[in-house]
PDB file of all heavy atoms in Angstrom:
ATOM      1  N   TYR A 138      11.037  -1.239   1.753  1.00  0.00           N
ATOM      2  CA  TYR A 138      10.988  -2.475   2.466  1.00  0.00           C
ATOM      3  C   TYR A 138      10.756  -3.565   1.500  1.00  0.00           C
ATOM      4  O   TYR A 138      11.287  -4.722   1.757  1.00  0.00           O
ATOM      5  CB  TYR A 138       9.779  -2.419   3.501  1.00  0.00           C
ATOM      6  CG  TYR A 138      10.070  -1.579   4.604  1.00  0.00           C
ATOM      7  CD1 TYR A 138       9.204  -0.509   4.900  1.00  0.00           C
ATOM      8  CD2 TYR A 138      11.098  -1.687   5.401  1.00  0.00           C
ATOM      9  CE1 TYR A 138       9.476   0.408   5.953  1.00  0.00           C
ATOM     10  CE2 TYR A 138      11.434  -0.901   6.366  1.00  0.00           C
ATOM     11  CZ  TYR A 138      10.702   0.236   6.724  1.00  0.00           C
ATOM     12  OH  TYR A 138      10.916   1.019   7.765  1.00  0.00           O
ATOM     13  N   HIS A 139      10.135  -3.419   0.354  1.00  0.00           N
ATOM     14  CA  HIS A 139      10.059  -4.559  -0.740  1.00  0.00           C
ATOM     15  C   HIS A 139      11.454  -4.798  -1.106  1.00  0.00           C
ATOM     16  O   HIS A 139      11.824  -6.005  -1.341  1.00  0.00           O
ATOM     17  CB  HIS A 139       9.198  -4.184  -1.796  1.00  0.00           C
ATOM     18  CG  HIS A 139       7.757  -4.358  -1.531  1.00  0.00           C
ATOM     19  ND1 HIS A 139       7.051  -5.460  -1.071  1.00  0.00           N
ATOM     20  CD2 HIS A 139       6.613  -3.454  -1.604  1.00  0.00           C
ATOM     21  CE1 HIS A 139       5.851  -5.393  -0.899  1.00  0.00           C
ATOM     22  NE2 HIS A 139       5.432  -4.071  -1.179  1.00  0.00           N
ATOM     23  N   LYS A 140      12.294  -3.812  -1.410  1.00  0.00           N
ATOM     24  CA  LYS A 140      13.646  -3.916  -1.808  1.00  0.00           C
ATOM     25  C   LYS A 140      14.486  -4.808  -0.840  1.00  0.00           C
ATOM     26  O   LYS A 140      15.352  -5.486  -1.068  1.00  0.00           O
ATOM     27  CB  LYS A 140      14.340  -2.589  -2.097  1.00  0.00           C
ATOM     28  CG  LYS A 140      14.053  -2.136  -3.406  1.00  0.00           C
ATOM     29  CD  LYS A 140      14.749  -0.729  -3.681  1.00  0.00           C
ATOM     30  CE  LYS A 140      15.999  -0.554  -3.076  1.00  0.00           C
ATOM     31  NZ  LYS A 140      16.769   0.727  -3.517  1.00  0.00           N
ATOM     32  N   LEU A 141      14.121  -4.582   0.573  1.00  0.00           N
ATOM     33  CA  LEU A 141      14.737  -5.264   1.520  1.00  0.00           C
ATOM     34  C   LEU A 141      14.291  -6.718   1.833  1.00  0.00           C
ATOM     35  O   LEU A 141      14.776  -7.446   2.765  1.00  0.00           O
ATOM     36  CB  LEU A 141      14.731  -4.423   2.966  1.00  0.00           C
ATOM     37  CG  LEU A 141      15.409  -3.279   3.004  1.00  0.00           C
ATOM     38  CD1 LEU A 141      15.187  -2.515   4.347  1.00  0.00           C
ATOM     39  CD2 LEU A 141      16.915  -3.383   2.642  1.00  0.00           C
ATOM     40  N   GLY A 142      13.291  -7.117   0.971  1.00  0.00           N
ATOM     41  CA  GLY A 142      12.836  -8.509   1.186  1.00  0.00           C
ATOM     42  C   GLY A 142      11.501  -8.683   1.903  1.00  0.00           C
ATOM     43  O   GLY A 142      11.183  -9.875   2.223  1.00  0.00           O
ATOM     44  N   TYR A 143      10.920  -7.645   2.289  1.00  0.00           N
ATOM     45  CA  TYR A 143       9.729  -7.726   3.108  1.00  0.00           C
ATOM     46  C   TYR A 143       8.516  -7.801   2.164  1.00  0.00           C
ATOM     47  O   TYR A 143       8.507  -7.383   1.029  1.00  0.00           O
ATOM     48  CB  TYR A 143       9.446  -6.481   3.908  1.00  0.00           C
ATOM     49  CG  TYR A 143      10.301  -6.416   5.206  1.00  0.00           C
ATOM     50  CD1 TYR A 143      11.634  -5.974   5.078  1.00  0.00           C
ATOM     51  CD2 TYR A 143       9.802  -6.699   6.387  1.00  0.00           C
ATOM     52  CE1 TYR A 143      12.451  -5.991   6.070  1.00  0.00           C
ATOM     53  CE2 TYR A 143      10.654  -6.782   7.568  1.00  0.00           C
ATOM     54  CZ  TYR A 143      11.944  -6.377   7.400  1.00  0.00           C
ATOM     55  OH  TYR A 143      12.840  -6.289   8.534  1.00  0.00           O
ATOM     56  N   SER A 144       7.417  -8.601   2.538  1.00  0.00           N
ATOM     57  CA  SER A 144       6.249  -8.691   1.667  1.00  0.00           C
ATOM     58  C   SER A 144       5.104  -8.494   2.624  1.00  0.00           C
ATOM     59  O   SER A 144       5.086  -8.629   3.868  1.00  0.00           O
ATOM     60  CB  SER A 144       6.177 -10.197   1.111  1.00  0.00           C
ATOM     61  OG  SER A 144       6.264 -11.086   2.188  1.00  0.00           O
ATOM     62  N   VAL A 145       3.986  -7.972   2.009  1.00  0.00           N
ATOM     63  CA  VAL A 145       2.706  -7.564   2.756  1.00  0.00           C
ATOM     64  C   VAL A 145       2.018  -8.853   3.234  1.00  0.00           C
ATOM     65  O   VAL A 145       1.846  -9.732   2.392  1.00  0.00           O
ATOM     66  CB  VAL A 145       1.764  -6.865   1.717  1.00  0.00           C
ATOM     67  CG1 VAL A 145       0.517  -6.589   2.380  1.00  0.00           C
ATOM     68  CG2 VAL A 145       2.503  -5.559   1.355  1.00  0.00           C
ATOM     69  N   LEU A 146       1.839  -8.816   4.376  1.00  0.00           N
ATOM     70  CA  LEU A 146       1.008 -10.036   5.095  1.00  0.00           C
ATOM     71  C   LEU A 146      -0.439  -9.645   5.020  1.00  0.00           C
ATOM     72  O   LEU A 146      -1.247 -10.490   4.692  1.00  0.00           O
ATOM     73  CB  LEU A 146       1.427 -10.103   6.542  1.00  0.00           C
ATOM     74  CG  LEU A 146       0.833 -11.292   7.319  1.00  0.00           C
ATOM     75  CD1 LEU A 146       1.218 -12.585   6.694  1.00  0.00           C
ATOM     76  CD2 LEU A 146       1.340 -11.238   8.762  1.00  0.00           C
ATOM     77  N   ARG A 147      -0.821  -8.380   5.348  1.00  0.00           N
ATOM     78  CA  ARG A 147      -2.274  -7.954   5.418  1.00  0.00           C
ATOM     79  C   ARG A 147      -2.281  -6.457   5.494  1.00  0.00           C
ATOM     80  O   ARG A 147      -1.314  -5.752   5.879  1.00  0.00           O
ATOM     81  CB  ARG A 147      -3.063  -8.676   6.532  1.00  0.00           C
ATOM     82  CG  ARG A 147      -2.597  -8.145   7.920  1.00  0.00           C
ATOM     83  CD  ARG A 147      -3.308  -8.884   9.001  1.00  0.00           C
ATOM     84  NE  ARG A 147      -2.369 -10.050   9.221  1.00  0.00           N
ATOM     85  CZ  ARG A 147      -2.347 -10.758  10.380  1.00  0.00           C
ATOM     86  NH1 ARG A 147      -3.069 -10.418  11.350  1.00  0.00           N
ATOM     87  NH2 ARG A 147      -1.555 -11.691  10.546  1.00  0.00           N
ATOM     88  N   PHE A 148      -3.482  -6.059   5.133  1.00  0.00           N
ATOM     89  CA  PHE A 148      -3.795  -4.618   5.353  1.00  0.00           C
ATOM     90  C   PHE A 148      -4.703  -4.466   6.620  1.00  0.00           C
ATOM     91  O   PHE A 148      -5.696  -5.192   6.673  1.00  0.00           O
ATOM     92  CB  PHE A 148      -4.443  -3.955   4.161  1.00  0.00           C
ATOM     93  CG  PHE A 148      -4.800  -2.503   4.269  1.00  0.00           C
ATOM     94  CD1 PHE A 148      -3.744  -1.555   4.285  1.00  0.00           C
ATOM     95  CD2 PHE A 148      -6.130  -2.124   4.486  1.00  0.00           C
ATOM     96  CE1 PHE A 148      -4.107  -0.226   4.296  1.00  0.00           C
ATOM     97  CE2 PHE A 148      -6.438  -0.781   4.516  1.00  0.00           C
ATOM     98  CZ  PHE A 148      -5.496   0.222   4.454  1.00  0.00           C
ATOM     99  N   TRP A 149      -4.513  -3.409   7.434  1.00  0.00           N
ATOM    100  CA  TRP A 149      -5.280  -3.134   8.516  1.00  0.00           C
ATOM    101  C   TRP A 149      -6.082  -1.881   8.337  1.00  0.00           C
ATOM    102  O   TRP A 149      -5.620  -0.865   8.443  1.00  0.00           O
ATOM    103  CB  TRP A 149      -4.427  -3.073   9.889  1.00  0.00           C
ATOM    104  CG  TRP A 149      -3.778  -4.255  10.233  1.00  0.00           C
ATOM    105  CD1 TRP A 149      -2.495  -4.699   9.882  1.00  0.00           C
ATOM    106  CD2 TRP A 149      -4.189  -5.344  11.242  1.00  0.00           C
ATOM    107  NE1 TRP A 149      -2.194  -5.922  10.492  1.00  0.00           N
ATOM    108  CE2 TRP A 149      -3.134  -6.168  11.313  1.00  0.00           C
ATOM    109  CE3 TRP A 149      -5.325  -5.371  12.121  1.00  0.00           C
ATOM    110  CZ2 TRP A 149      -3.378  -7.304  12.202  1.00  0.00           C
ATOM    111  CZ3 TRP A 149      -5.486  -6.395  12.894  1.00  0.00           C
ATOM    112  CH2 TRP A 149      -4.464  -7.315  13.101  1.00  0.00           C
ATOM    113  N   PRO A 150      -7.480  -2.086   8.058  1.00  0.00           N
ATOM    114  CA  PRO A 150      -8.298  -0.907   7.685  1.00  0.00           C
ATOM    115  C   PRO A 150      -8.329   0.000   8.684  1.00  0.00           C
ATOM    116  O   PRO A 150      -8.443   1.281   8.462  1.00  0.00           O
ATOM    117  CB  PRO A 150      -9.661  -1.568   7.253  1.00  0.00           C
ATOM    118  CG  PRO A 150      -9.356  -2.936   6.970  1.00  0.00           C
ATOM    119  CD  PRO A 150      -8.094  -3.473   7.794  1.00  0.00           C
ATOM    120  N   ASP A 151      -8.474  -0.383   9.976  1.00  0.00           N
ATOM    121  CA  ASP A 151      -8.726   0.517  11.128  1.00  0.00           C
ATOM    122  C   ASP A 151      -7.557   1.407  11.426  1.00  0.00           C
ATOM    123  O   ASP A 151      -7.623   2.547  11.718  1.00  0.00           O
ATOM    124  CB  ASP A 151      -9.002  -0.291  12.474  1.00  0.00           C
ATOM    125  CG  ASP A 151     -10.364  -0.926  12.374  1.00  0.00           C
ATOM    126  OD1 ASP A 151     -11.169  -0.661  11.507  1.00  0.00           O
ATOM    127  OD2 ASP A 151     -10.579  -1.735  13.283  1.00  0.00           O
ATOM    128  N   LEU A 152      -6.375   0.985  11.003  1.00  0.00           N
ATOM    129  CA  LEU A 152      -5.115   1.642  11.267  1.00  0.00           C
ATOM    130  C   LEU A 152      -4.642   2.280   9.895  1.00  0.00           C
ATOM    131  O   LEU A 152      -3.730   3.153   9.975  1.00  0.00           O
ATOM    132  CB  LEU A 152      -4.038   0.690  11.785  1.00  0.00           C
ATOM    133  CG  LEU A 152      -4.263   0.056  13.030  1.00  0.00           C
ATOM    134  CD1 LEU A 152      -3.079  -0.964  13.335  1.00  0.00           C
ATOM    135  CD2 LEU A 152      -4.322   0.994  14.265  1.00  0.00           C
ATOM    136  N   GLN A 153      -5.122   1.896   8.883  1.00  0.00           N
ATOM    137  CA  GLN A 153      -4.779   2.374   7.557  1.00  0.00           C
ATOM    138  C   GLN A 153      -3.235   1.984   7.285  1.00  0.00           C
ATOM    139  O   GLN A 153      -2.596   2.814   6.778  1.00  0.00           O
ATOM    140  CB  GLN A 153      -5.000   3.846   7.350  1.00  0.00           C
ATOM    141  CG  GLN A 153      -6.516   4.073   7.353  1.00  0.00           C
ATOM    142  CD  GLN A 153      -7.189   3.571   6.115  1.00  0.00           C
ATOM    143  OE1 GLN A 153      -6.748   3.917   4.884  1.00  0.00           O
ATOM    144  NE2 GLN A 153      -8.215   2.796   6.190  1.00  0.00           N
ATOM    145  N   CYS A 154      -2.915   0.762   7.761  1.00  0.00           N
ATOM    146  CA  CYS A 154      -1.458   0.337   7.568  1.00  0.00           C
ATOM    147  C   CYS A 154      -1.376  -1.086   7.044  1.00  0.00           C
ATOM    148  O   CYS A 154      -2.302  -1.820   7.131  1.00  0.00           O
ATOM    149  CB  CYS A 154      -0.916   0.193   8.951  1.00  0.00           C
ATOM    150  SG  CYS A 154      -0.515   1.767   9.786  1.00  0.00           S
ATOM    151  N   HIS A 155      -0.217  -1.290   6.326  1.00  0.00           N
ATOM    152  CA  HIS A 155       0.084  -2.462   5.811  1.00  0.00           C
ATOM    153  C   HIS A 155       1.045  -3.142   6.755  1.00  0.00           C
ATOM    154  O   HIS A 155       1.911  -2.500   7.243  1.00  0.00           O
ATOM    155  CB  HIS A 155       0.776  -2.400   4.392  1.00  0.00           C
ATOM    156  CG  HIS A 155       0.001  -1.864   3.371  1.00  0.00           C
ATOM    157  ND1 HIS A 155      -0.869  -2.411   2.568  1.00  0.00           N
ATOM    158  CD2 HIS A 155      -0.013  -0.430   2.979  1.00  0.00           C
ATOM    159  CE1 HIS A 155      -1.400  -1.659   1.640  1.00  0.00           C
ATOM    160  NE2 HIS A 155      -0.915  -0.423   1.886  1.00  0.00           N
ATOM    161  N   GLU A 156       0.833  -4.435   7.038  1.00  0.00           N
ATOM    162  CA  GLU A 156       1.647  -5.257   7.814  1.00  0.00           C
ATOM    163  C   GLU A 156       2.708  -6.050   6.934  1.00  0.00           C
ATOM    164  O   GLU A 156       2.159  -6.737   6.010  1.00  0.00           O
ATOM    165  CB  GLU A 156       0.813  -6.206   8.781  1.00  0.00           C
ATOM    166  CG  GLU A 156       1.796  -6.997   9.723  1.00  0.00           C
ATOM    167  CD  GLU A 156       0.811  -7.834  10.606  1.00  0.00           C
ATOM    168  OE1 GLU A 156      -0.343  -7.900  10.512  1.00  0.00           O
ATOM    169  OE2 GLU A 156       1.456  -8.577  11.357  1.00  0.00           O
ATOM    170  N   LEU A 157       3.948  -5.804   7.108  1.00  0.00           N
ATOM    171  CA  LEU A 157       4.759  -6.467   6.268  1.00  0.00           C
ATOM    172  C   LEU A 157       5.722  -7.437   7.148  1.00  0.00           C
ATOM    173  O   LEU A 157       5.917  -7.393   8.363  1.00  0.00           O
ATOM    174  CB  LEU A 157       5.845  -5.465   5.610  1.00  0.00           C
ATOM    175  CG  LEU A 157       5.401  -4.702   4.468  1.00  0.00           C
ATOM    176  CD1 LEU A 157       4.187  -3.769   4.825  1.00  0.00           C
ATOM    177  CD2 LEU A 157       6.487  -3.937   3.800  1.00  0.00           C
TER     178      LEU A 157
END
Side-chain angles (χ1 to χ4, degrees):
Y138 290 119
H139 283 303
K140 274 180 36 177
L141 293 182
Y143 285 81
S144 57
V145 176
L146 182 63
R147 70 187 87 154
F148 180 75
W149 292 85
D151 293 349
L152 299 174
Q153 293 293 300
C154 285
H155 297 277
E156 181 179 1
L157 281 71

